[in-house]
Amino acid sequence: MQYMKMKYRGFEFNVNPKSLKISMNKKISRYDTVYAEEHCAQGANGLYTVSGSGCFVGEDSAEKAFELVRAYNKKGSDYLFLPNSVPIKACFSSLSISYSGGNDRVDYSFEFVQECKEKNEEYNPDYTVAADGENLFDIAHRTGMQIENLVEANDFGDVFAVKEGDRVWLI
């Protein structure tokens, strides 16, 4: 079986990095209900982070490192092709280059972060906007907040008095 070589913005690693780590996470909130039951709510998925390290060896190692730096310096995001994984649209977020043994060996380490264009209400933790038919219980479940905190932070008078478009404070 032939493995895909790692590629980004026209740069192809002649040998895949010796270490490659793909990190994924989910935002999970735990909260207690009025009836002292513990519940979990899943928020938005976090972004993928791809990190790794390796080395270029041989007479052209410094040239290969220079090509990698050029790919790093380009602005914006592009598709990152990984061995044994699906491509992800990512930004090249960090690069470290270390020359050793003259110009015959160049060590490198890198990090890519998945691009995210969706607005995510978790970016503004102060409030959320009520959707059609939601009440404070629904909003507490959706945001991972405790219902008691929502009642205390807002002046709706009744947990069912929330209307579509109302700003619900989460602090």
Side-chain angles (χ1 to χ4, degrees):
M1 172 187 263
Q2 186 176 15
Y3 292 100
M4 172 191 265
K5 291 184 180 175
M6 188 168 152
K7 291 191 273 188
Y8 183 77
R9 292 221 162 156
F11 178 83
E12 183 174 307
F13 289 78
N14 50 353
V15 174
N16 283 329
K18 63 183 174 186
S19 72
L20 187 63
K21 179 180 176 183
I22 302 171
S23 302
M24 302 165 264
N25 62 46
K26 293 181 180 178
K27 296 182 186 344
I28 304 292
S29 301
R30 292 179 181 210
Y31 60 95
D32 295 324
T33 66
V34 177
Y35 304 106
E37 297 173 340
E38 184 176 61
H39 287 275
C40 292
Q42 179 177 325
N45 285 339
L47 300 177
Y48 284 53
T49 302
V50 177
S51 58
S53 63
C55 64
F56 301 121
V57 179
E59 292 178 7
D60 66 339
S61 60
E63 183 180 320
K64 202 70 174 164
F66 180 72
E67 290 176 34
L68 184 59
V69 170
R70 285 181 43 199
Y72 171 78
N73 285 332
K74 292 180 181 176
K75 293 183 180 185
S77 62
D78 205 342
Y79 283 96
L80 173 63
F81 295 90
L82 300 167
N84 301 322
S85 183
V86 297
I88 62 169
K89 190 129 188 206
C91 295
F92 204 156
S93 60
S94 72
L95 176 64
S96 177
I97 302 283
S98 175
Y99 296 89
S100 58
N103 284 336
D104 290 347
R105 179 183 168 117
V106 178
D107 294 301
Y108 61 84
S109 60
F110 58 83
E111 182 179 82
F112 292 88
V113 177
Q114 181 183 16
E115 177 186 71
C116 179
K117 288 193 174 194
E118 296 177 10
K119 287 189 177 181
N120 186 339
E121 77 178 80
E122 290 187 13
Y123 290 129
N124 186 344
D126 295 339
Y127 70 90
T128 187
V129 177
D132 184 34
E134 275 190 318
N135 58 51
L136 284 184
F137 288 108
D138 298 324
I139 294 169
H141 178 55
R142 176 169 56 87
T143 61
M145 298 289 297
Q146 293 186 13
I147 186 68
E148 295 86 359
N149 294 350
L150 291 181
V151 169
E152 187 177 313
N154 295 278
D155 189 26
F156 289 110
D158 183 342
V159 293
F160 299 103
V162 179
K163 296 185 295 281
E164 179 181 12
D166 282 347
R167 184 176 287 191
V168 179
W169 295 100
L170 303 175
I171 53 176

